[in-house]
Amino acid sequence: TPPRRPPPPWPTQRPLRTPIPPSDFSLRRSSSRVMSTAARSLLAFRAARLRPAIGAAAAARRTLPLGAFARTRAFASVTSHTEGEMGTPAYRMRFKDASGKEVSPWHDIPLYTGKDGVVNALFEIPKNTKPKMEVATKEANNPIAQDVKKGKLRDYHGPIFWNYGMFPQTWEDPNLVHSETKCAGDNDPVDVVEIGAEALPQGAVEPVKVLGTLAMIDDGELDWKVIAIRTSDPLAAELSDIGDVEAKCPGVISGIRE
């Protein structure tokens, strides 16, 4: 079987699994520009919110086909390996399932965990590192690679202080203009910033609790940053929404915004 080719340019085809646009995440704007409400209504993935995005047949977990839960169990067997040297254009981190078949971390890793307010996130950039790594959305099977701009590998100006990644099976629609920001999506998966204590390795897939979001504008495109914490982090039990982050982790939100 030939390797899966990347999808043609949007909007002629979306990712193989129907993504969930950020507009369906039930977000509200707060005075601090954090799009937030309680976690249960912030990114709760309830049927009423998801139905426009993923269709009535899979709108709620009670109606999801059993295959979706089989994928959730099977994804624990997904392994990663690297090709090329880190810090070069040839570097790629690729993923395989238990049978040895190469899979896409964007299309094939499940988003849902079976628990309200908790979803899977794939991490591309460990905290305290500088290279700007990301899922290569235009390559077959979407390996992780270092971003390139004007022929040069991209780095942050300094080490980032949080784990940075994306939500599988999501997509920021470039044809959908947000009613408040007046900007359309950036044509990439939805980003996640994990604020826990541990530096997560590149390629890690972790269940995270959603706490809030920032609506960032980058070159006129809307780029959502979902703030979350790994469910196994010691602080996770004390954080339920963005207000808790402000209270218990002062400076985190302003630091992410910068």
Side-chain angles (χ1 to χ4, degrees):
T1 302
R4 181 184 303 169
R5 293 183 178 275
W10 309 118
T12 56
Q13 180 178 322
R14 291 191 177 190
L16 299 183
R17 310 283 191 267
T18 305
I20 300 168
S23 58
D24 290 321
F25 281 179
S26 182
L27 308 177
R28 298 179 184 176
R29 181 181 294 277
S30 73
S31 59
S32 64
R33 288 181 54 82
V34 178
M35 306 286 280
S36 172
T37 182
R40 62 180 178 274
S41 63
L42 178 62
L43 191 64
F45 300 105
R46 288 185 173 85
R49 294 289 177 183
L50 296 179
R51 192 169 288 111
I54 63 175
R61 281 187 298 277
R62 57 184 172 81
T63 61
L64 281 172
L66 289 178
F69 293 103
R71 287 196 302 273
T72 301
R73 292 193 298 270
F75 107 91
S77 301
V78 170
T79 59
S80 63
H81 68 281
T82 59
E83 300 173 356
E85 185 179 349
M86 185 70 173
T88 70
Y91 176 85
R92 296 291 185 274
M93 174 175 280
R94 301 186 182 277
F95 297 80
K96 292 183 178 181
D97 63 15
S99 71
K101 176 184 175 183
E102 186 171 358
V103 296
S104 163
W106 185 14
H107 300 313
D108 296 320
I109 291 175
L111 174 65
Y112 298 106
T113 64
K115 184 177 180 181
D116 282 342
V118 178
V119 288
N120 286 319
L122 169 77
F123 291 97
E124 303 150 310
I125 308 173
K127 68 188 298 183
N128 298 320
T129 62
K130 291 175 58 177
K132 190 178 187 302
M133 312 300 294
E134 60 182 21
V135 165
T137 59
K138 296 180 180 179
E139 294 185 22
N141 292 314
N142 314 120
I144 294 176
Q146 190 166 355
D147 190 28
V148 176
K149 187 174 183 179
K150 296 181 179 179
K152 295 183 178 181
L153 295 172
R154 298 182 68 187
D155 290 283
Y156 290 101
H157 63 277
I160 61 173
F161 303 127
W162 304 278
N163 297 297
Y164 195 92
M166 51 81 78
F167 288 115
Q169 302 187 33
T170 63
W171 175 53
E172 299 195 43
D173 190 344
N175 300 298
L176 180 64
V177 177
H178 188 263
S179 59
E180 292 188 56
T181 64
K182 308 302 180 184
C183 294
D186 67 357
N187 204 25
D188 285 329
V190 178
D191 296 326
V192 57
V193 183
E194 196 274 336
I195 62 173
E198 185 177 338
L200 303 178
Q202 184 183 103
V205 179
E206 293 283 350
V208 298
K209 179 195 289 188
V210 173
L211 304 170
T213 64
L214 287 171
M216 311 290 281
I217 309 299
D218 185 7
D219 290 334
E221 296 178 329
L222 183 56
D223 187 10
W224 293 98
K225 306 298 182 188
V226 177
I227 301 169
I229 189 166
R230 189 169 57 132
T231 55
S232 59
D233 190 273
L235 195 58
E238 301 180 41
L239 303 178
S240 296
D241 60 25
I242 205 65
D244 294 335
V245 177
E246 292 274 23
K248 298 181 181 294
C249 309
V252 165
I253 295 173
S254 60
I256 293 172
R257 186 182 293 117
E258 294 174 2

